[in-house]
Amino acid sequence: MSNYHIKNLEEYYQVYRKSVRNPELFWEEVAEEHFVWKKRWDRVLDYDFSKPEVKWFEGAQLNITENCIDRHLPSKADKTAIIFEPNNPDEPALHISYSELHERVCKFANVLKSKGIGKGDRVCIYLPMIPELAVALLACARIGAVHSVVFAGFSATALATRINDCEAKMVITADGSFRGNKTIDLKGIVDEALTTCGSVTTVLVAKRIDTEILMEEGRDAWLAPLLETAESDCPAEIMEAEDPLFILYTSGSTGSPKGMLHTTAGYMVYTAYTFKNVFNYKDGDIYWCTADIGWITGHSYIVYGPLANGATTVMFEGVPSYPDYGRFWEVVQKHKITQFYTAPTAIRALAKENLEFVNSYDLSSLKVLGTVGEPINEEAWHWYNDNVGKKKAPIVDTWWQTETGGMMISPIPFATPTKPTYATLPLPGVQLALMDEQGNEVVGNQVDGRLCVKFPWPSMARTIWGNHQRYKDTYFSAFDNAYFTGDGALRDEVGYYRITGRVDDVIIVSGHNLGTAPIEDAINEHPAVAESAIVGVPHDIKGNALYGYVILKETGEGRNHDNLRKEINQIITEHIGPIAKLDIIQFTPGLPKTRSGKIMRRILRKIAHNELDNLGDISTLLNPDIVEAIIRERMTPSVP
Ligand code: PRX
């Protein structure tokens, strides 16, 4: 029985049971079958959730880029590794073969070395979706540098926070980026960020929009001339299994962003395994994930997972609405995409447009459709299934997180019967548990609870960079001996899981995780604001929109509310980025608080949702009268 390409539900259960009965043996077989190792592991797994400490394939030595590139050269040198599809459909797509990728990565790695970057150094990558982005990740991995990609939609302040947290020595960026019919001044954002970053000594700049930019003498260098003269061979650094591969920041419900640290061997094995099984990947397929490499989805399922399988992976620079809402389908037709992986927010936005945008293109190449990042509602699921997959391409609703490194719950196409809004069953090796609020496991089916994972899986984040205690507190303290995901879930009568959403103060807006605390901190910087609280409200396209309750200081009280709303969103844009802007801002004289001073978000959420009949007991509040006042204010036409 092969662990790959599970063919039916019975085989899934067999593989799953095997993976639980003897996880070490299971992952050892996967690791042996598909990768090149410089040295074999001494031990498959060593772990202790109470510390927490997890080590996979200890003693093994490898380099992930040899597995993603060099290993394929004897048989696939001319095969396309990456198809770059530019923002502007009139610009030709670029096909980068495995041998070209090898050369590009080696040259880039030599440039990094020439700038003093070595094993263990952190390199911050702030690039648009151009080939240099994938190459930069791999070049870092080639020499053992730890990449930390920051999504190029984050503001200068957000970028600086991340650079400072990991003390990056270098930033790799571009002169700018294209986004639909706009251009964005990336280098200007980097320059602004670096005024507060002491650790950065070098900035490498890729040319994309070909505009005049300022280059700081001694610090900034254009990438192209350096690549031109660099040697085209670079031996791969030998890495230990648990050596860091990358840091990727994700929002927490409180405090600064968390730098999730992923290590080498387990991450490689798990992302490659899940890519192949969940997308039913076969040689010759053309796979496209529309995510940005700035998020974990892009790391694991644009770069590492596909390349570790010798696949052809598409990098799309553009947006779904440019030049029109048919763009995704035009790209599917053009490159004969076989697997298409996107987010519910994109599906909802496209479903609102004329169906002609879909029907004008030939989508018959599609075999598997995927979704990720947030719960998919039933309507969007059916629209995707009917109009894109024509009811023939199974939808894999994949649940996972930045922290998990790879997919955790998903149907296996052609094996697991799908069910709208359900991520269905745990993937092999993933041991889930639902817990009640008292910390007891809820057993049986037709139950709900807090979603936890009871046993280590190879691609789990090992720590929060520089703050192991926070890692322990956030993920391993709510329940004994289990990783807590922060999500709620229910298990139906056949054991299928449905993710019901976050149970902490993280709100997912258009598939992006946003912590309420950092946004509130930004709002509170406004000189007229005394205090604020953010909640999520359902939104047709974005899944959730942000609703802010803001208390003004006396100095702000006479001011025009519309102007204040604009200023508050401006501050949020500067501190975090435009993705965190509030849709609705309600000015209020106070916030409901418990006697210990905690804001009662449950009540604020209900008011924002207009669920006024069912506010629960408010008599124990410190200030019950405020609830009436907030409701009255909510009903006035001045609250948009
Ligand atoms: O709440 C879950 C939601 O996204 C969160 C993780 O976000 P992030 O770390 O940004 O990673 C997103 C891409 C892997 C989860 O805690 N989420 C992710 N996938 C799904 C989902 N919610 C429901 N269904 C999904 N398929």
Side-chain angles (χ1 to χ4, degrees), residues 95-299:
H95 291 247
I96 302 172
S97 69
Y98 272 93
S99 65
E100 283 161 353
L101 183 63
H102 181 261
E103 186 177 337
R104 282 182 179 233
V105 168
C106 286
K107 285 185 162 217
F108 205 135
N110 284 326
V111 170
L112 296 179
K113 282 208 252 182
S114 74
K115 293 288 177 187
I117 300 296
K119 184 171 178 178
D121 288 336
R122 273 82 60 209
V123 172
C124 172
I125 302 175
Y126 188 72
L127 278 170
M129 282 287 282
I130 55 176
E132 286 83 347
L133 173 53
V135 173
L137 265 67
L138 294 160
C140 287
R142 187 82 177 173
I143 61 168
V146 181
H147 56 76
S148 182
V149 184
V150 176
F151 171 61
F154 275 117
S155 69
T157 314
L159 173 62
T161 307
R162 288 156 176 78
I163 292 173
N164 286 331
D165 186 77
C166 70
E167 297 172 288
K169 271 171 90 170
M170 175 186 270
V171 177
I172 303 171
T173 190
D175 57 349
S177 66
F178 293 117
R179 200 175 160 74
N181 53 15
K182 288 194 264 189
T183 55
I184 298 163
D185 172 20
L186 289 189
K187 177 63 166 53
I189 297 172
V190 170
D191 289 341
E192 191 187 331
L194 292 189
T195 57
T196 58
C197 301
S199 58
V200 174
T201 52
T202 312
V203 177
L204 296 181
V205 187
K207 195 169 258 181
R208 178 56 184 142
I209 63 171
D210 215 357
T211 176
E212 282 283 305
I213 55 166
L214 290 175
M215 295 290 278
E216 192 178 297
E217 185 76 42
R219 186 194 70 181
D220 301 352
W222 288 103
L223 187 57
L226 294 171
L227 288 172
E228 223 159 82
T229 54
E231 286 288 322
S232 55
D233 193 32
C234 174
E237 184 76 31
I238 296 178
M239 305 296 285
E240 303 294 325
E242 284 296 336
D243 275 341
L245 176 63
F246 66 86
I247 299 166
L248 186 61
Y249 286 87
T250 186
S251 304
S253 47
T254 56
S256 51
K258 298 171 289 193
M260 305 314 305
L261 180 76
H262 285 281
T263 57
T264 306
Y267 176 82
M268 174 183 79
V269 169
Y270 193 84
T271 53
Y273 174 79
T274 48
F275 173 77
K276 190 162 182 171
N277 260 321
V278 172
F279 291 116
N280 195 252
Y281 169 75
K282 305 240 166 88
D283 202 21
D285 286 350
I286 311 283
Y287 161 86
W288 179 22
C289 165
T290 69
D292 192 291
I293 293 174
W295 310 111
I296 190 70
T297 309
H299 281 59

Side-chain angles (χ1 to χ4, degrees), residues 84 222 226 263 400 412 427 480 563:
F84 169 61
W222 288 103
L226 294 171
T263 57
W400 58 295
I412 305 274
L427 291 173
D480 284 342
N563 288 346

Side-chain angles (χ1 to χ4, degrees), residues 297 372-375 397-402 487 499 502 508 513:
T297 309
V372 60
E374 54 184 321
D397 177 353
T398 63
W399 174 86
W400 58 295
Q401 309 178 295
T402 306
D487 282 330
I499 309 303
R502 302 290 310 186
I508 304 188
N513 275 9

